Amino acid sequence: MTFQSLTQTMPVQHLQVYRAEAFRVSEGVNLGEAIGIADDLELEDTYSLNDGAQLERLALSQPQATSAHAGKAAFSIAENSELGTPGQALFLDCLLTFMAPHGETLEALLLVETDRAGMIGATYLLPLAPVAAKTGYTLVTIDRENALERLAQSASVSFSRGTRITMADGRQVAVEDLRPGDRILTKDSGPQVLRWIGHQTLRASGAFVPITIAPGALNNTGPLTLSPNHRLFIYQRVDHLGAGSREVMVRARDLVNGTSVVQTPGGFVDYFQLLFDKHEIIYAEGIASESLFVDMTTRPVVPAEIQARLKGDARPSLAGLELTAGELSRRDAVALLKRASSC
């Protein structure tokens, strides 16, 4: 198995996307055409997802900077991506809103891969809610201004309301009761001052469906509910997974097993982000979990005046190896991690 060293590489965002060719106009001006860049789209066109179309993993590395390509932030495709050409530039083109037949809305982000000459090589659709095959979705808005903010919301690591955080003095305080200036226990830096708390109430669908880890599943004291991309730090006293390292990082979504770790859509979820002077590992319900790391992907959720006061770390402070979904595909991965960390 191969693992991504967090001390040697920048954070990678793993997005579940459809190839543009799988989402085509079934009624309207551009009949038969695949979803494309904002300039080529027509409002009121109706799109349908091909029967059998599958979500695939598009891995993005740290954005390089704001590019000359329509003034958009340029990402690059990571080495371990299932889609695209590693190293090629990827641009966030727009945020689209569709209306489904029964009145519900679907938001989706459009990403464009370009070659070295700056020509479009591929286009991908990142849905922020489930898409049903052979169902008509009518395009109602094209938003060129707020796409990066929506991506930031989906990429930000967040705790849900009620999550208890360990303070510097050992108290357990619900995340919604924390305030900037509070001192919180961190794994590597001791007591640290909380600089900012973000809060959004989002529909619990698609990229925003929270993950709940049952009490005791990873030696946690209470149920821990957090965003899908949130990474947990686990120290293995015994390397039961054969990771080659006792210190591993795992994303909450890659631990879902339908029993002790579940993902339940529906309703709304209150998400809270905790920000320190630099990236930290803190304790939530007794589990070591990462704080918000500010990079070009997540920066739009943080107020400008807060960004100006950060230390500006170019890399996350987390040590350890990040395990991917494939490496955690064993049905007993959660039980193995629990046993490894408590032996």
Side-chain angles (χ1 to χ4, degrees), residues 57-323:
R57 182 172 54 82
L58 182 65
L60 278 62
S61 65
Q62 170 76 15
Q64 302 303 306
T66 297
S67 164
H69 180 84
K72 296 178 172 62
F75 300 78
S76 62
I77 297 177
E79 289 294 330
N80 63 345
S81 183
E82 290 179 351
L83 291 176
T85 303
Q88 295 292 75
L90 193 77
F91 301 92
L92 187 56
D93 187 72
C94 59
L95 170 65
L96 304 175
T97 304
F98 299 88
M99 186 69 71
H102 299 293
E104 65 272 23
T105 59
L106 165 71
E107 285 189 333
L109 294 166
L110 198 72
L111 299 113
V112 178
E113 178 184 349
T114 60
D115 60 22
R116 295 185 183 279
M119 303 298 291
I120 294 176
T123 306
Y124 308 103
L125 186 77
L126 170 61
L128 298 179
V131 184
K134 298 191 294 185
T135 299
Y137 293 91
T138 302
L139 181 61
V140 292
T141 65
I142 303 170
D143 184 347
R144 294 174 171 86
E145 303 298 325
N146 297 304
L148 196 56
E149 181 174 356
R150 283 301 264 162
L151 179 63
Q153 290 176 343
S154 67
S156 294
V157 296
S158 309
F159 300 98
S160 72
R161 180 179 294 275
T163 300
R164 294 176 298 174
I165 305 297
T166 301
M167 309 299 287
D169 61 5
R171 289 180 298 125
Q172 304 294 306
V173 176
V175 65
E176 65 270 21
D177 294 330
L178 295 175
R179 297 292 181 267
D182 285 347
R183 292 173 63 81
I184 292 176
L185 182 64
T186 71
K187 172 184 174 292
D188 299 311
S189 308
Q192 290 294 311
V193 174
L194 179 63
R195 296 301 182 190
W196 178 77
I197 305 172
H199 174 223
Q200 297 95 31
T201 300
L202 300 170
R203 188 178 296 278
S205 63
F208 303 104
V209 178
I211 308 293
T212 299
I213 301 171
L218 288 174
N219 301 309
N220 43 312
T221 54
L224 176 59
T225 301
L226 63 177
S227 57
N229 276 320
H230 211 135
R231 292 180 297 181
L232 308 175
F233 175 89
I234 297 175
Y235 176 78
Q236 302 184 97
R237 298 179 186 276
V238 179
D239 185 12
H240 284 311
L241 287 178
S245 173
R246 292 188 176 185
E247 296 184 339
V248 296
M249 297 292 295
V250 294
R251 293 180 189 271
R253 70 182 184 194
D254 294 335
L255 292 173
V256 173
N257 58 16
T259 53
S260 59
V261 183
V262 298
Q263 187 171 31
T264 307
F268 292 84
V269 59
D270 280 331
Y271 276 143
F272 296 84
Q273 300 86 38
L274 304 182
L275 182 66
F276 299 85
D277 286 336
K278 64 183 183 67
H279 199 206
E280 299 285 1
I281 299 175
I282 63 175
Y283 298 91
E285 299 296 343
I287 298 181
S289 314
E290 68 176 327
S291 67
L292 180 65
F293 175 64
V294 178
D295 59 11
M296 287 292 291
T297 309
T298 57
R299 190 174 298 277
V301 303
V302 181
E305 63 272 18
I306 300 298
Q307 295 181 32
R309 289 158 45 189
L310 299 178
K311 292 182 179 178
D313 290 352
R315 295 176 181 269
S317 63
L318 305 182
L321 298 174
E322 183 175 341
L323 305 186

